[in-house]
Amino acid sequence: MHIRFTKMQGAGNDFVVLDETGSELGLQAAHYRYLADRHFGVGADQILTVRKPPAAHAGEVDFEYIIHNADGSEVEQCGNGARCFARYVYDKGLTDQTTIRVLTRAGIITPRLTPDGRVTVNMGKPRWQPADIPFDPAGLESESSGQTHRWSLPLPATASTPAHSVWIVAVSMGNPHAVQQVASVEHAPVAQTGALIEHSPHFPQRVNAGYMEIVARDQIRLRVYERGAGETLACGTGACAAVVSGIAQGLLDSRVNVATRGGRLTIEWAGGAQHDVFMTGPADTVFEGHLELPDEP
Ligand SMILES: N[C@H](CCC[C@H](N)C(=O)O)C(=O)O
C-alpha cells in the first residue's frame, strides 16, 4: 500500500502523521511498528492519525486524533503530538481556525496556535483516583504529601540493580503516569528502572515513568521513560503529570517551565478539581514523505 506521511516533532518527541480525513488506511499494529522503526521504517516515538469527527461527535469537535506508540499500542493521549496535530491541520488547510476542538480516546482537548509560533493546548483535568489512572495500590506503603499521596512502588532486582522501592505519585492526564522526584535528572536511573516501572503489576495498562528534578518553584528538569516507546526527548503529558504532582505536593507554583532533553515546555495549572491543565510548546514539520507499506510488515 502506498502511503504519504509527514514527519513532525515537538520538543524532540517525534511523530509520523497520517491523514485519514479522506479515507481510512486500515492499518494494524504491525504497520504502526514498521512506520515507527528507526532502521526499517521512517522512525518515530508515536504515529498520529488525523480523522474527521465520528458521526456521534459531528458539530462537537473539528477532528479526531488517534495515537499509536512505537510498539503499536493505541493510547489515550499524547501532548506533544497534540501540538503537532494542530500545526498539521492548519498548515495543510484542513482548517482555517487557529483554535480547534479535538476528540481523543481521553476526551476533548483544545489546541490553539499562538502568534509566537508555539501551540497552547488545554489538556483537561488531571485524574487522581487509582481506578481512573488505572493504578492498583493494594499492599503498597503510602504517605500523604500535600494534597496528594506518594506510594512506595517495589521494583524487582535486575543484573544491574538490587530490588528496591521508589516513591511515586500516580496521576492520569488521560494516560497513566508514575512521577518520582530525583536530585538530578542527568544521574537518574532512567535506563535501569524505566522499564521496571513501565511494567509494574500495579499499573494494569502499564505506565509512563517520570523523573522530575525540582530546580525552583517555577522550574523543573524532566526525563520520561514512555510506555510503549522508551525514553523520549520530551513527553507532553509527562510534563503535565510532573507539574501537577509537584503543585499538588505544594512544591511548585501554578506556572512552571519544564526543561526536557529535547526542548522547553510551559505547564500551567491553578490546582484543584475544577481547573484544566495548559501546556505550551513548539511544534515543527521536519519533512514530507511517501513509501510502499508492506501488507505484512
Ligand atoms: N507513551 C504515551 C503516549 C505518548 C505521550 C507523549 N509522547 C506525550 O507527548 O504526551 C503513553 O503510552 O501513554
Side-chain angles (χ1 to χ4, degrees), residues 195-229:
L196 302 179
I197 297 169
E198 176 192 5
H199 294 281
S200 166
H202 290 277
F203 291 92
Q205 292 179 12
R206 297 185 289 162
V207 69
N208 299 282
Y211 300 76
M212 167 175 67
E213 174 188 341
I214 295 181
V215 176
R217 290 189 59 87
D218 64 351
Q219 188 181 350
I220 67 169
R221 295 190 182 100
L222 181 68
R223 291 173 67 183
V224 181
Y225 187 95
E226 287 198 30
R227 176 180 62 170

PDB file of all heavy atoms in Angstrom, residues 195-229:
ATOM      1  N   ALA A 195      11.934   0.779  32.484  1.00  0.00           N
ATOM      2  CA  ALA A 195      11.100  -0.343  32.013  1.00  0.00           C
ATOM      3  C   ALA A 195      10.493  -1.114  33.179  1.00  0.00           C
ATOM      4  O   ALA A 195       9.384  -1.658  33.073  1.00  0.00           O
ATOM      5  CB  ALA A 195      11.941  -1.268  31.146  1.00  0.00           C
ATOM      6  N   LEU A 196      11.220  -1.139  34.320  1.00  0.00           N
ATOM      7  CA  LEU A 196      10.659  -1.833  35.502  1.00  0.00           C
ATOM      8  C   LEU A 196       9.396  -1.124  35.988  1.00  0.00           C
ATOM      9  O   LEU A 196       8.410  -1.775  36.354  1.00  0.00           O
ATOM     10  CB  LEU A 196      11.708  -1.871  36.623  1.00  0.00           C
ATOM     11  CG  LEU A 196      13.052  -2.552  36.306  1.00  0.00           C
ATOM     12  CD1 LEU A 196      13.989  -2.480  37.527  1.00  0.00           C
ATOM     13  CD2 LEU A 196      12.843  -3.997  35.875  1.00  0.00           C
ATOM     14  N   ILE A 197       9.440   0.203  35.982  1.00  0.00           N
ATOM     15  CA  ILE A 197       8.246   0.959  36.394  1.00  0.00           C
ATOM     16  C   ILE A 197       7.139   0.795  35.357  1.00  0.00           C
ATOM     17  O   ILE A 197       5.974   0.514  35.701  1.00  0.00           O
ATOM     18  CB  ILE A 197       8.606   2.448  36.607  1.00  0.00           C
ATOM     19  CG1 ILE A 197       9.624   2.595  37.744  1.00  0.00           C
ATOM     20  CG2 ILE A 197       7.343   3.279  36.894  1.00  0.00           C
ATOM     21  CD1 ILE A 197      10.231   3.977  37.856  1.00  0.00           C
ATOM     22  N   GLU A 198       7.510   0.922  34.053  1.00  0.00           N
ATOM     23  CA  GLU A 198       6.508   0.794  32.977  1.00  0.00           C
ATOM     24  C   GLU A 198       5.701  -0.494  33.124  1.00  0.00           C
ATOM     25  O   GLU A 198       4.484  -0.493  32.930  1.00  0.00           O
ATOM     26  CB  GLU A 198       7.177   0.788  31.607  1.00  0.00           C
ATOM     27  CG  GLU A 198       6.194   0.554  30.446  1.00  0.00           C
ATOM     28  CD  GLU A 198       6.855   0.250  29.106  1.00  0.00           C
ATOM     29  OE1 GLU A 198       8.110   0.113  29.054  1.00  0.00           O
ATOM     30  OE2 GLU A 198       6.112   0.168  28.112  1.00  0.00           O
ATOM     31  N   HIS A 199       6.393  -1.582  33.484  1.00  0.00           N
ATOM     32  CA  HIS A 199       5.746  -2.904  33.525  1.00  0.00           C
ATOM     33  C   HIS A 199       5.343  -3.327  34.931  1.00  0.00           C
ATOM     34  O   HIS A 199       5.017  -4.499  35.150  1.00  0.00           O
ATOM     35  CB  HIS A 199       6.689  -3.937  32.897  1.00  0.00           C
ATOM     36  CG  HIS A 199       6.910  -3.717  31.419  1.00  0.00           C
ATOM     37  ND1 HIS A 199       6.013  -4.105  30.452  1.00  0.00           N
ATOM     38  CD2 HIS A 199       7.918  -3.097  30.764  1.00  0.00           C
ATOM     39  CE1 HIS A 199       6.457  -3.769  29.251  1.00  0.00           C
ATOM     40  NE2 HIS A 199       7.622  -3.151  29.406  1.00  0.00           N
ATOM     41  N   SER A 200       5.331  -2.394  35.895  1.00  0.00           N
ATOM     42  CA  SER A 200       4.924  -2.748  37.260  1.00  0.00           C
ATOM     43  C   SER A 200       3.513  -3.342  37.259  1.00  0.00           C
ATOM     44  O   SER A 200       2.593  -2.786  36.629  1.00  0.00           O
ATOM     45  CB  SER A 200       4.922  -1.514  38.166  1.00  0.00           C
ATOM     46  OG  SER A 200       4.221  -1.789  39.374  1.00  0.00           O
ATOM     47  N   PRO A 201       3.308  -4.443  37.966  1.00  0.00           N
ATOM     48  CA  PRO A 201       1.969  -5.056  38.030  1.00  0.00           C
ATOM     49  C   PRO A 201       0.925  -4.161  38.700  1.00  0.00           C
ATOM     50  O   PRO A 201      -0.271  -4.395  38.578  1.00  0.00           O
ATOM     51  CB  PRO A 201       2.193  -6.337  38.843  1.00  0.00           C
ATOM     52  CG  PRO A 201       3.476  -6.147  39.566  1.00  0.00           C
ATOM     53  CD  PRO A 201       4.306  -5.231  38.731  1.00  0.00           C
ATOM     54  N   HIS A 202       1.408  -3.080  39.357  1.00  0.00           N
ATOM     55  CA  HIS A 202       0.444  -2.163  39.988  1.00  0.00           C
ATOM     56  C   HIS A 202      -0.194  -1.222  38.960  1.00  0.00           C
ATOM     57  O   HIS A 202      -1.112  -0.465  39.281  1.00  0.00           O
ATOM     58  CB  HIS A 202       1.150  -1.361  41.091  1.00  0.00           C
ATOM     59  CG  HIS A 202       1.496  -2.226  42.276  1.00  0.00           C
ATOM     60  ND1 HIS A 202       0.585  -2.518  43.270  1.00  0.00           N
ATOM     61  CD2 HIS A 202       2.635  -2.887  42.594  1.00  0.00           C
ATOM     62  CE1 HIS A 202       1.161  -3.319  44.151  1.00  0.00           C
ATOM     63  NE2 HIS A 202       2.401  -3.558  43.767  1.00  0.00           N
ATOM     64  N   PHE A 203       0.324  -1.249  37.713  1.00  0.00           N
ATOM     65  CA  PHE A 203      -0.275  -0.456  36.619  1.00  0.00           C
ATOM     66  C   PHE A 203      -0.770  -1.416  35.550  1.00  0.00           C
ATOM     67  O   PHE A 203       0.003  -1.829  34.672  1.00  0.00           O
ATOM     68  CB  PHE A 203       0.748   0.537  36.068  1.00  0.00           C
ATOM     69  CG  PHE A 203       1.084   1.656  37.030  1.00  0.00           C
ATOM     70  CD1 PHE A 203       2.160   1.540  37.904  1.00  0.00           C
ATOM     71  CD2 PHE A 203       0.289   2.789  37.084  1.00  0.00           C
ATOM     72  CE1 PHE A 203       2.452   2.550  38.811  1.00  0.00           C
ATOM     73  CE2 PHE A 203       0.577   3.818  37.979  1.00  0.00           C
ATOM     74  CZ  PHE A 203       1.666   3.696  38.848  1.00  0.00           C
ATOM     75  N   PRO A 204      -2.054  -1.805  35.593  1.00  0.00           N
ATOM     76  CA  PRO A 204      -2.561  -2.877  34.737  1.00  0.00           C
ATOM     77  C   PRO A 204      -2.501  -2.572  33.242  1.00  0.00           C
ATOM     78  O   PRO A 204      -2.493  -3.479  32.424  1.00  0.00           O
ATOM     79  CB  PRO A 204      -4.020  -3.039  35.191  1.00  0.00           C
ATOM     80  CG  PRO A 204      -4.343  -1.871  36.033  1.00  0.00           C
ATOM     81  CD  PRO A 204      -3.078  -1.327  36.558  1.00  0.00           C
ATOM     82  N   GLN A 205      -2.422  -1.272  32.877  1.00  0.00           N
ATOM     83  CA  GLN A 205      -2.254  -0.908  31.461  1.00  0.00           C
ATOM     84  C   GLN A 205      -0.869  -0.330  31.213  1.00  0.00           C
ATOM     85  O   GLN A 205      -0.689   0.483  30.291  1.00  0.00           O
ATOM     86  CB  GLN A 205      -3.353   0.090  31.071  1.00  0.00           C
ATOM     87  CG  GLN A 205      -4.735  -0.575  31.079  1.00  0.00           C
ATOM     88  CD  GLN A 205      -5.851   0.382  30.711  1.00  0.00           C
ATOM     89  OE1 GLN A 205      -5.606   1.496  30.226  1.00  0.00           O
ATOM     90  NE2 GLN A 205      -7.081  -0.033  30.975  1.00  0.00           N
ATOM     91  N   ARG A 206       0.110  -0.686  32.014  1.00  0.00           N
ATOM     92  CA  ARG A 206       1.464  -0.163  32.023  1.00  0.00           C
ATOM     93  C   ARG A 206       1.432   1.322  32.403  1.00  0.00           C
ATOM     94  O   ARG A 206       0.364   1.860  32.766  1.00  0.00           O
ATOM     95  CB  ARG A 206       2.161  -0.408  30.686  1.00  0.00           C
ATOM     96  CG  ARG A 206       2.351  -1.878  30.322  1.00  0.00           C
ATOM     97  CD  ARG A 206       3.148  -2.034  29.045  1.00  0.00           C
ATOM     98  NE  ARG A 206       2.367  -1.614  27.871  1.00  0.00           N
ATOM     99  CZ  ARG A 206       2.917  -1.324  26.709  1.00  0.00           C
ATOM    100  NH1 ARG A 206       4.227  -1.390  26.528  1.00  0.00           N
ATOM    101  NH2 ARG A 206       2.156  -0.945  25.693  1.00  0.00           N
ATOM    102  N   VAL A 207       2.578   2.012  32.337  1.00  0.00           N
ATOM    103  CA  VAL A 207       2.609   3.394  32.804  1.00  0.00           C
ATOM    104  C   VAL A 207       3.826   4.112  32.225  1.00  0.00           C
ATOM    105  O   VAL A 207       4.830   3.475  31.866  1.00  0.00           O
ATOM    106  CB  VAL A 207       2.640   3.439  34.358  1.00  0.00           C
ATOM    107  CG1 VAL A 207       3.967   2.918  34.914  1.00  0.00           C
ATOM    108  CG2 VAL A 207       2.332   4.845  34.883  1.00  0.00           C
ATOM    109  N   ASN A 208       3.725   5.433  32.101  1.00  0.00           N
ATOM    110  CA  ASN A 208       4.852   6.286  31.725  1.00  0.00           C
ATOM    111  C   ASN A 208       5.598   6.661  33.001  1.00  0.00           C
ATOM    112  O   ASN A 208       4.957   7.081  33.984  1.00  0.00           O
ATOM    113  CB  ASN A 208       4.328   7.537  31.034  1.00  0.00           C
ATOM    114  CG  ASN A 208       3.561   7.228  29.757  1.00  0.00           C
ATOM    115  OD1 ASN A 208       4.158   6.950  28.722  1.00  0.00           O
ATOM    116  ND2 ASN A 208       2.232   7.249  29.823  1.00  0.00           N
ATOM    117  N   ALA A 209       6.921   6.546  33.003  1.00  0.00           N
ATOM    118  CA  ALA A 209       7.716   6.781  34.215  1.00  0.00           C
ATOM    119  C   ALA A 209       8.440   8.122  34.116  1.00  0.00           C
ATOM    120  O   ALA A 209       9.314   8.312  33.264  1.00  0.00           O
ATOM    121  CB  ALA A 209       8.737   5.653  34.402  1.00  0.00           C
ATOM    122  N   GLY A 210       8.048   9.072  34.997  1.00  0.00           N
ATOM    123  CA  GLY A 210       8.643  10.410  35.000  1.00  0.00           C
ATOM    124  C   GLY A 210       9.679  10.571  36.097  1.00  0.00           C
ATOM    125  O   GLY A 210       9.501  10.085  37.212  1.00  0.00           O
ATOM    126  N   TYR A 211      10.774  11.269  35.757  1.00  0.00           N
ATOM    127  CA  TYR A 211      11.868  11.545  36.707  1.00  0.00           C
ATOM    128  C   TYR A 211      12.033  13.066  36.742  1.00  0.00           C
ATOM    129  O   TYR A 211      12.503  13.676  35.774  1.00  0.00           O
ATOM    130  CB  TYR A 211      13.172  10.893  36.240  1.00  0.00           C
ATOM    131  CG  TYR A 211      13.105   9.381  36.111  1.00  0.00           C
ATOM    132  CD1 TYR A 211      12.454   8.778  35.030  1.00  0.00           C
ATOM    133  CD2 TYR A 211      13.683   8.542  37.073  1.00  0.00           C
ATOM    134  CE1 TYR A 211      12.384   7.403  34.915  1.00  0.00           C
ATOM    135  CE2 TYR A 211      13.620   7.155  36.964  1.00  0.00           C
ATOM    136  CZ  TYR A 211      12.971   6.598  35.876  1.00  0.00           C
ATOM    137  OH  TYR A 211      12.898   5.213  35.753  1.00  0.00           O
ATOM    138  N   MET A 212      11.575  13.679  37.857  1.00  0.00           N
ATOM    139  CA  MET A 212      11.496  15.135  37.938  1.00  0.00           C
ATOM    140  C   MET A 212      12.527  15.689  38.913  1.00  0.00           C
ATOM    141  O   MET A 212      12.601  15.261  40.066  1.00  0.00           O
ATOM    142  CB  MET A 212      10.090  15.554  38.390  1.00  0.00           C
ATOM    143  CG  MET A 212       9.971  17.010  38.807  1.00  0.00           C
ATOM    144  SD  MET A 212       8.298  17.541  39.195  1.00  0.00           S
ATOM    145  CE  MET A 212       7.944  16.598  40.665  1.00  0.00           C
ATOM    146  N   GLU A 213      13.319  16.655  38.427  1.00  0.00           N
ATOM    147  CA  GLU A 213      14.255  17.389  39.288  1.00  0.00           C
ATOM    148  C   GLU A 213      13.683  18.797  39.498  1.00  0.00           C
ATOM    149  O   GLU A 213      13.449  19.512  38.510  1.00  0.00           O
ATOM    150  CB  GLU A 213      15.635  17.473  38.625  1.00  0.00           C
ATOM    151  CG  GLU A 213      16.652  18.324  39.358  1.00  0.00           C
ATOM    152  CD  GLU A 213      17.932  18.519  38.545  1.00  0.00           C
ATOM    153  OE1 GLU A 213      18.182  17.716  37.607  1.00  0.00           O
ATOM    154  OE2 GLU A 213      18.678  19.473  38.843  1.00  0.00           O
ATOM    155  N   ILE A 214      13.415  19.176  40.728  1.00  0.00           N
ATOM    156  CA  ILE A 214      12.874  20.494  41.004  1.00  0.00           C
ATOM    157  C   ILE A 214      14.023  21.479  41.156  1.00  0.00           C
ATOM    158  O   ILE A 214      14.855  21.338  42.064  1.00  0.00           O
ATOM    159  CB  ILE A 214      11.980  20.491  42.256  1.00  0.00           C
ATOM    160  CG1 ILE A 214      10.728  19.621  41.993  1.00  0.00           C
ATOM    161  CG2 ILE A 214      11.561  21.915  42.637  1.00  0.00           C
ATOM    162  CD1 ILE A 214       9.746  19.561  43.143  1.00  0.00           C
ATOM    163  N   VAL A 215      14.099  22.447  40.230  1.00  0.00           N
ATOM    164  CA  VAL A 215      15.174  23.458  40.241  1.00  0.00           C
ATOM    165  C   VAL A 215      14.735  24.665  41.068  1.00  0.00           C
ATOM    166  O   VAL A 215      15.507  25.236  41.831  1.00  0.00           O
ATOM    167  CB  VAL A 215      15.521  23.861  38.796  1.00  0.00           C
ATOM    168  CG1 VAL A 215      16.564  24.970  38.757  1.00  0.00           C
ATOM    169  CG2 VAL A 215      15.943  22.646  37.982  1.00  0.00           C
ATOM    170  N   ALA A 216      13.471  25.053  40.874  1.00  0.00           N
ATOM    171  CA  ALA A 216      12.873  26.177  41.615  1.00  0.00           C
ATOM    172  C   ALA A 216      11.361  25.958  41.596  1.00  0.00           C
ATOM    173  O   ALA A 216      10.879  25.046  40.915  1.00  0.00           O
ATOM    174  CB  ALA A 216      13.228  27.504  40.944  1.00  0.00           C
ATOM    175  N   ARG A 217      10.617  26.825  42.303  1.00  0.00           N
ATOM    176  CA  ARG A 217       9.157  26.600  42.361  1.00  0.00           C
ATOM    177  C   ARG A 217       8.507  26.830  41.007  1.00  0.00           C
ATOM    178  O   ARG A 217       7.362  26.459  40.776  1.00  0.00           O
ATOM    179  CB  ARG A 217       8.516  27.500  43.418  1.00  0.00           C
ATOM    180  CG  ARG A 217       8.879  27.102  44.842  1.00  0.00           C
ATOM    181  CD  ARG A 217       8.050  27.895  45.863  1.00  0.00           C
ATOM    182  NE  ARG A 217       6.629  27.674  45.683  1.00  0.00           N
ATOM    183  CZ  ARG A 217       5.950  26.656  46.264  1.00  0.00           C
ATOM    184  NH1 ARG A 217       6.609  25.764  46.991  1.00  0.00           N
ATOM    185  NH2 ARG A 217       4.658  26.509  46.076  1.00  0.00           N
ATOM    186  N   ASP A 218       9.238  27.427  40.071  1.00  0.00           N
ATOM    187  CA  ASP A 218       8.675  27.633  38.715  1.00  0.00           C
ATOM    188  C   ASP A 218       9.546  26.996  37.640  1.00  0.00           C
ATOM    189  O   ASP A 218       9.485  27.378  36.461  1.00  0.00           O
ATOM    190  CB  ASP A 218       8.534  29.140  38.441  1.00  0.00           C
ATOM    191  CG  ASP A 218       9.890  29.841  38.410  1.00  0.00           C
ATOM    192  OD1 ASP A 218      10.915  29.210  38.768  1.00  0.00           O
ATOM    193  OD2 ASP A 218       9.913  31.034  38.014  1.00  0.00           O
ATOM    194  N   GLN A 219      10.373  26.013  38.036  1.00  0.00           N
ATOM    195  CA  GLN A 219      11.278  25.404  37.053  1.00  0.00           C
ATOM    196  C   GLN A 219      11.633  23.972  37.438  1.00  0.00           C
ATOM    197  O   GLN A 219      12.038  23.715  38.577  1.00  0.00           O
ATOM    198  CB  GLN A 219      12.568  26.224  36.958  1.00  0.00           C
ATOM    199  CG  GLN A 219      13.479  25.762  35.825  1.00  0.00           C
ATOM    200  CD  GLN A 219      14.758  26.574  35.772  1.00  0.00           C
ATOM    201  OE1 GLN A 219      14.892  27.586  36.456  1.00  0.00           O
ATOM    202  NE2 GLN A 219      15.695  26.145  34.945  1.00  0.00           N
ATOM    203  N   ILE A 220      11.435  23.054  36.480  1.00  0.00           N
ATOM    204  CA  ILE A 220      11.871  21.662  36.718  1.00  0.00           C
ATOM    205  C   ILE A 220      12.652  21.175  35.507  1.00  0.00           C
ATOM    206  O   ILE A 220      12.551  21.750  34.420  1.00  0.00           O
ATOM    207  CB  ILE A 220      10.672  20.704  36.993  1.00  0.00           C
ATOM    208  CG1 ILE A 220       9.812  20.548  35.740  1.00  0.00           C
ATOM    209  CG2 ILE A 220       9.869  21.151  38.199  1.00  0.00           C
ATOM    210  CD1 ILE A 220       8.770  19.425  35.833  1.00  0.00           C
ATOM    211  N   ARG A 221      13.423  20.123  35.714  1.00  0.00           N
ATOM    212  CA  ARG A 221      14.007  19.351  34.627  1.00  0.00           C
ATOM    213  C   ARG A 221      13.304  17.994  34.657  1.00  0.00           C
ATOM    214  O   ARG A 221      12.947  17.498  35.737  1.00  0.00           O
ATOM    215  CB  ARG A 221      15.508  19.173  34.813  1.00  0.00           C
ATOM    216  CG  ARG A 221      16.315  20.472  34.749  1.00  0.00           C
ATOM    217  CD  ARG A 221      17.815  20.211  34.704  1.00  0.00           C
ATOM    218  NE  ARG A 221      18.580  21.456  34.687  1.00  0.00           N
ATOM    219  CZ  ARG A 221      19.172  21.967  35.798  1.00  0.00           C
ATOM    220  NH1 ARG A 221      19.095  21.314  36.961  1.00  0.00           N
ATOM    221  NH2 ARG A 221      19.818  23.110  35.738  1.00  0.00           N
ATOM    222  N   LEU A 222      13.094  17.407  33.467  1.00  0.00           N
ATOM    223  CA  LEU A 222      12.294  16.190  33.414  1.00  0.00           C
ATOM    224  C   LEU A 222      12.827  15.225  32.362  1.00  0.00           C
ATOM    225  O   LEU A 222      13.194  15.659  31.260  1.00  0.00           O
ATOM    226  CB  LEU A 222      10.838  16.537  33.077  1.00  0.00           C
ATOM    227  CG  LEU A 222       9.837  15.383  32.999  1.00  0.00           C
ATOM    228  CD1 LEU A 222       9.592  14.769  34.374  1.00  0.00           C
ATOM    229  CD2 LEU A 222       8.509  15.862  32.391  1.00  0.00           C
ATOM    230  N   ARG A 223      12.868  13.954  32.750  1.00  0.00           N
ATOM    231  CA  ARG A 223      13.082  12.870  31.773  1.00  0.00           C
ATOM    232  C   ARG A 223      11.924  11.898  31.931  1.00  0.00           C
ATOM    233  O   ARG A 223      11.420  11.692  33.052  1.00  0.00           O
ATOM    234  CB  ARG A 223      14.416  12.163  32.011  1.00  0.00           C
ATOM    235  CG  ARG A 223      15.630  13.014  31.681  1.00  0.00           C
ATOM    236  CD  ARG A 223      16.924  12.339  32.098  1.00  0.00           C
ATOM    237  NE  ARG A 223      17.226  11.129  31.318  1.00  0.00           N
ATOM    238  CZ  ARG A 223      18.287  10.355  31.570  1.00  0.00           C
ATOM    239  NH1 ARG A 223      19.095  10.627  32.604  1.00  0.00           N
ATOM    240  NH2 ARG A 223      18.536   9.289  30.831  1.00  0.00           N
ATOM    241  N   VAL A 224      11.479  11.317  30.828  1.00  0.00           N
ATOM    242  CA  VAL A 224      10.367  10.363  30.874  1.00  0.00           C
ATOM    243  C   VAL A 224      10.709   9.120  30.079  1.00  0.00           C
ATOM    244  O   VAL A 224      11.133   9.215  28.914  1.00  0.00           O
ATOM    245  CB  VAL A 224       9.058  10.981  30.337  1.00  0.00           C
ATOM    246  CG1 VAL A 224       7.899   9.962  30.410  1.00  0.00           C
ATOM    247  CG2 VAL A 224       8.682  12.242  31.113  1.00  0.00           C
ATOM    248  N   TYR A 225      10.532   7.981  30.751  1.00  0.00           N
ATOM    249  CA  TYR A 225      10.609   6.692  30.045  1.00  0.00           C
ATOM    250  C   TYR A 225       9.167   6.360  29.662  1.00  0.00           C
ATOM    251  O   TYR A 225       8.343   6.050  30.527  1.00  0.00           O
ATOM    252  CB  TYR A 225      11.197   5.609  30.964  1.00  0.00           C
ATOM    253  CG  TYR A 225      11.469   4.304  30.252  1.00  0.00           C
ATOM    254  CD1 TYR A 225      12.727   4.022  29.735  1.00  0.00           C
ATOM    255  CD2 TYR A 225      10.455   3.366  30.070  1.00  0.00           C
ATOM    256  CE1 TYR A 225      12.975   2.813  29.074  1.00  0.00           C
ATOM    257  CE2 TYR A 225      10.683   2.180  29.413  1.00  0.00           C
ATOM    258  CZ  TYR A 225      11.930   1.914  28.912  1.00  0.00           C
ATOM    259  OH  TYR A 225      12.166   0.722  28.246  1.00  0.00           O
ATOM    260  N   GLU A 226       8.841   6.483  28.400  1.00  0.00           N
ATOM    261  CA  GLU A 226       7.450   6.393  27.974  1.00  0.00           C
ATOM    262  C   GLU A 226       6.979   4.946  27.787  1.00  0.00           C
ATOM    263  O   GLU A 226       7.708   4.110  27.244  1.00  0.00           O
ATOM    264  CB  GLU A 226       7.235   7.140  26.655  1.00  0.00           C
ATOM    265  CG  GLU A 226       7.255   8.638  26.782  1.00  0.00           C
ATOM    266  CD  GLU A 226       6.614   9.306  25.582  1.00  0.00           C
ATOM    267  OE1 GLU A 226       5.703   8.705  24.976  1.00  0.00           O
ATOM    268  OE2 GLU A 226       7.029  10.438  25.237  1.00  0.00           O
ATOM    269  N   ARG A 227       5.753   4.696  28.215  1.00  0.00           N
ATOM    270  CA  ARG A 227       5.072   3.435  27.899  1.00  0.00           C
ATOM    271  C   ARG A 227       5.074   3.260  26.389  1.00  0.00           C
ATOM    272  O   ARG A 227       4.708   4.170  25.652  1.00  0.00           O
ATOM    273  CB  ARG A 227       3.638   3.484  28.427  1.00  0.00           C
ATOM    274  CG  ARG A 227       2.785   2.315  28.102  1.00  0.00           C
ATOM    275  CD  ARG A 227       1.356   2.434  28.663  1.00  0.00           C
ATOM    276  NE  ARG A 227       0.627   3.569  28.110  1.00  0.00           N
ATOM    277  CZ  ARG A 227      -0.675   3.732  28.305  1.00  0.00           C
ATOM    278  NH1 ARG A 227      -1.365   2.878  29.059  1.00  0.00           N
ATOM    279  NH2 ARG A 227      -1.312   4.782  27.772  1.00  0.00           N
ATOM    280  N   GLY A 228       5.521   2.105  25.935  1.00  0.00           N
ATOM    281  CA  GLY A 228       5.416   1.777  24.516  1.00  0.00           C
ATOM    282  C   GLY A 228       6.397   2.477  23.621  1.00  0.00           C
ATOM    283  O   GLY A 228       6.283   2.392  22.386  1.00  0.00           O
ATOM    284  N   ALA A 229       7.349   3.228  24.172  1.00  0.00           N
ATOM    285  CA  ALA A 229       8.305   3.945  23.311  1.00  0.00           C
ATOM    286  C   ALA A 229       9.693   4.031  23.909  1.00  0.00           C
ATOM    287  O   ALA A 229      10.649   4.337  23.193  1.00  0.00           O
ATOM    288  CB  ALA A 229       7.801   5.369  23.015  1.00  0.00           C
TER     289      ALA A 229
END
